Amino acid sequence: SGGTIAMALLDSSNTVVALTGVAGSASQVSGVVPSGTIPGSYALRVSSGGIPFLVVDAITVAPRLVRVVNQSAGAGSNLTVPIELVASGTENTVSFSLSFDPAKIAFQSNSIGAALPQGAILSRNVTQSSSGVISYFISLEPGAKFPAGTVTLLNINFTIASGVAGGTAIPLVFGDGQALRKIVGFDASSLAGSFVDGSVSISSGLEGDVNGDGVVDAVDWVLMGRMVVALDPLPGSGSKFQRSDCGPRSSKGDGMIDAQDWVQIGRYVV
């Protein structure tokens, strides 16, 4: 009809939430859900010149959140913990601090998410990592937006201490350390959202999985051989000792690290 195109969400009580940044024509139109919109199910109404011409049922506004992806690994092993953003498509920048118990898990390195838009920048402050606090700032170019949906912001690499008992859960907790918990929109607005903590669960591990990577293979056989001939130190008590002490098979170990364990791992490998 040539009138102004408008878009709005209607909840179950017909409360209207007008979309911003509406652009296009009657055949193709887009808009932005305002920050602060309560997550839930809505109907989408499109109108031209004040006259509705399209209503779409069951449009879902997902909760905006940043979350730790929970992981599991054996004591003494390395692991990678992804940090994800569940985005609505209007976000430009995310910042936060993350705390953990440095006696149980140690920060090693990090990398930016491989699927982030071109030009994404990752800044960090890890000067307090030995005290269990690391801080991050992930930003896109001015005016750019994270795509709607789930995207990995970064991957954080840790090493689990060798003496941590199986069954232990190590919390990874968001906070306001050197970097505050913030989600910022492409228009520099402060966006509502949740930061969901996570954890690393310590598994008892597989019999013969010396290095705790979840696989019993030739690497474990070589590592065991090095310990048996005293090229490498024997593991202390804990999950690594339990995984290494795997022979005889009938008893899953005999309390000693010796040639019997080396032979048993070789049998597992083949």
Side-chain angles (χ1 to χ4, degrees), residues 15-257:
T15 300
V16 176
V17 179
L19 273 65
T20 62
V22 177
S25 63
S27 61
Q28 183 174 349
V29 65
S30 63
V32 177
V33 177
S35 62
T37 300
I38 298 173
S41 182
Y42 293 82
L44 173 65
R45 184 180 68 194
V46 185
S47 59
S48 178
I51 301 174
F53 67 86
L54 176 66
V55 176
V56 180
D57 293 327
I59 298 295
T60 300
V61 177
R64 178 186 293 112
L65 58 87
V66 179
R67 64 188 178 196
V68 175
V69 180
N70 295 333
Q71 299 294 310
S72 178
S77 62
N78 300 318
L79 82 161
T80 299
V81 178
I83 305 296
E84 292 182 341
L85 167 67
V86 180
S88 67
T90 62
E91 301 83 0
N92 173 270
T93 298
V94 175
S95 65
F96 58 85
S97 295
L98 192 71
S99 62
F100 51 90
D101 184 348
K104 297 178 179 177
I105 191 168
F107 168 79
Q108 298 297 335
S109 62
N110 56 255
S111 60
I112 195 166
L116 292 187
Q118 186 175 6
I121 298 171
L122 171 63
S123 301
R124 69 177 193 175
N125 186 333
V126 297
T127 57
Q128 296 184 23
S129 61
S130 61
S131 299
V133 179
I134 50 180
S135 300
Y136 290 98
F137 179 94
I138 305 98
S139 182
L140 303 182
E141 295 178 338
K145 309 169 189 176
F146 287 104
T150 301
V151 61
T152 298
L153 295 173
L154 75 153
N155 295 291
I156 308 176
N157 301 311
F158 293 98
T159 297
I160 302 170
S162 59
V164 183
T168 300
I170 305 173
L172 300 175
V173 181
F174 287 110
D176 300 317
Q178 300 103 326
L180 302 179
R181 286 169 288 181
K182 286 284 186 179
I183 305 175
V184 181
F186 71 98
D187 57 356
S189 59
S190 181
L191 302 178
S194 301
F195 286 79
V196 181
D197 302 333
S199 64
V200 172
S201 298
I202 308 305
S203 59
S204 296
L206 298 172
E207 290 289 305
D209 182 17
V210 178
N211 63 356
D213 64 356
V215 179
V216 179
D217 55 19
V219 173
D220 301 297
W221 185 70
V222 172
L223 289 171
M224 176 57 71
R226 291 180 59 86
M227 289 191 291
V228 169
V229 298
L231 290 175
D232 290 338
L234 297 178
S237 60
S239 178
K240 185 174 182 180
F241 185 92
Q242 178 183 341
R243 298 192 310 269
S244 301
D245 178 24
C246 59
R249 181 184 178 188
S250 59
S251 60
K252 296 184 178 180
D254 58 2
M256 297 183 293
I257 302 295

